[in-house]
Amino acid sequence: MSTCSTVSRQLDEPLAATAPVATTWLLLEQPGPWGVKALTASHLDPAVGRALERAAQGTGVRVALIRRPGRHPDRGTAPLRRVYAAHTVPGNVWLHSAMTADPEQLLGLDFAALGRGDHHTFDAVLQGAPHTGDPLTLVCTNGKRDRCCALLGRPLAAELASSGVHGVWEVTHLGGHRFSPTLLVLPYGYAYGRAEAHTVKDALHGVREGRVVLEGCRGRTAWERPGQAAELAVRQAAGEYRADALSVVRTDGAAPRWEVTVAHADGRRWHVTVVQEAGRPPQPESCGASVLGGPARMEVVAVREPAGTRLAG
């Protein structure tokens, strides 16, 4: 059976700079089945789902539903649900959690403040507090969006949970179905593709130590795609793996060419040239796509320090 993920693997499509974009993630536990657009096609009140979508628009907040790995019965009860909010921008990384019996409470949040990295609205409205457990591992498993997410994501989530990894959740959508199984690790917000259990465990071990594992890394969701490409390239060139050591501080230009400035916490800076190239040959971006496309790729063509020393490219 040919799927979008098998084609992507056969073409050796690069993973770098393919992560979803969000400065802040807002995650609501929702048992039961999920439809293609889960916020409005699940057992969550669709009116609440639509209102959450509207509230998050343009704020940098991305709302997703989560559920525990395994069978997903929803018996129509209204149990307490876990809610998480995570801000992923270096210098202000945080992960808070809360419980709610009424998802409509989330509509009382100040989404613009959340997007800027202010957690006070989350704590005040939901009685939230800093998350003190293990990092969150969010595995995309929504087969209604793409069958690869169910065929590859659900077994990975189940394997991680059964092997004793804590903080594992299934999540509705992370984009990039063709890179399944895909996952997101919080609080730092690095996304991974073509993930296997042992590499996920390595990544989680790194998170606990404040490090980034680059194997299979799609990028940090705090940045737009050119910034994702630039940051990963600087990490490779400088051998810098501390999660919050690098920030994308400036992006000039527009498609198909950008000049991105990446700053180190110690004051060093790199200037990175990123160009957008169409993927070749044409391929399906998801299973069931009626038209073959050429998914755009971010290519790093130069990494320079201000003094002109070329590190890569």
Side-chain angles (χ1 to χ4, degrees):
M1 176 178 62
S2 180
T3 64
C4 65
S5 60
T6 58
V7 172
S8 180
R9 285 177 183 268
Q10 289 165 358
L11 295 175
D12 197 23
E13 184 181 2
L15 291 168
T18 65
V21 178
T23 56
T24 303
W25 290 83
L26 180 62
L27 308 167
L28 171 64
E29 184 177 3
Q30 176 57 57
W34 298 332
V36 175
K37 295 185 177 180
L39 281 177
T40 55
S42 67
H43 290 181
L44 177 69
D45 182 345
V48 173
R50 284 190 291 270
L52 288 171
E53 288 178 334
R54 290 193 297 269
Q57 190 171 6
T59 65
V61 178
R62 184 157 174 158
V63 185
L65 302 182
I66 57 174
R67 63 192 179 194
R68 292 295 188 183
R71 295 178 61 84
H72 304 120
D74 186 353
R75 299 178 176 85
T77 59
L80 282 174
R81 303 158 188 246
R82 179 68 64 180
V83 186
Y84 294 102
H87 190 63
T88 63
V89 177
N92 186 31
V93 170
W94 50 261
L95 172 60
H96 284 216
S97 68
M99 301 293 290
T100 185
D102 181 9
E104 196 169 356
Q105 277 191 297
L106 275 63
L107 298 176
L109 297 172
D110 183 337
F111 281 75
L114 278 177
R116 294 191 301 268
D118 183 350
H119 57 72
H120 292 95
T121 177
F122 183 86
D123 296 345
V125 171
L126 299 172
Q127 288 73 58
H131 174 67
T132 57
D134 289 299
L136 300 188
T137 307
L138 309 171
V139 183
C140 187
T141 63
N142 191 353
K144 291 295 177 65
R145 290 195 70 102
D146 192 284
R147 62 183 176 180
C148 288
C149 297
L151 292 172
L152 301 174
R154 291 193 66 187
L156 175 63
E159 180 181 357
L160 291 170
S162 65
S163 67
V165 176
H166 300 289
V168 179
W169 295 85
E170 297 185 7
V171 68
T172 47
H173 183 49
L174 296 176
H177 317 294
R178 63 194 185 279
F179 304 122
S180 294
T182 64
L183 61 93
L184 175 70
V185 179
L186 294 174
Y188 295 117
Y190 283 94
Y192 292 84
R194 301 183 188 131
E196 298 180 4
H198 72 279
T199 57
V200 176
K201 292 176 181 178
D202 288 344
L204 291 173
H205 181 70
V207 170
R208 296 185 189 97
E209 297 182 345
R211 295 184 295 105
V212 179
V213 170
L214 296 186
E215 182 181 356
C217 189
R218 299 174 61 196
R220 189 169 190 156
T221 65
W223 319 127
E224 299 286 342
R225 290 191 63 196
Q228 293 176 17
E231 188 226 26
L232 291 177
V234 170
R235 287 194 180 280
Q236 290 279 14
E240 177 57 78
Y241 304 109
R242 287 172 292 175
D244 274 355
L246 299 178
S247 294
V248 175
V249 296
R250 184 183 177 102
T251 301
D252 296 309
R257 187 181 183 91
W258 298 266
E259 296 295 332
V260 182
T261 303
V262 177
H264 195 286
D266 65 11
R268 286 179 290 164
R269 293 198 172 202
W270 292 263
H271 300 309
V272 185
T273 302
V274 181
V275 298
Q276 178 177 299
E277 297 182 355
R280 292 186 175 84
Q283 65 187 90
E285 295 191 43
S286 63
C287 291
S290 59
V291 178
L292 295 182
R297 302 182 181 186
M298 297 292 124
E299 298 286 346
V300 172
V301 298
V303 180
R304 304 175 302 277
E305 285 190 276
T309 303
R310 187 175 178 122
L311 297 179

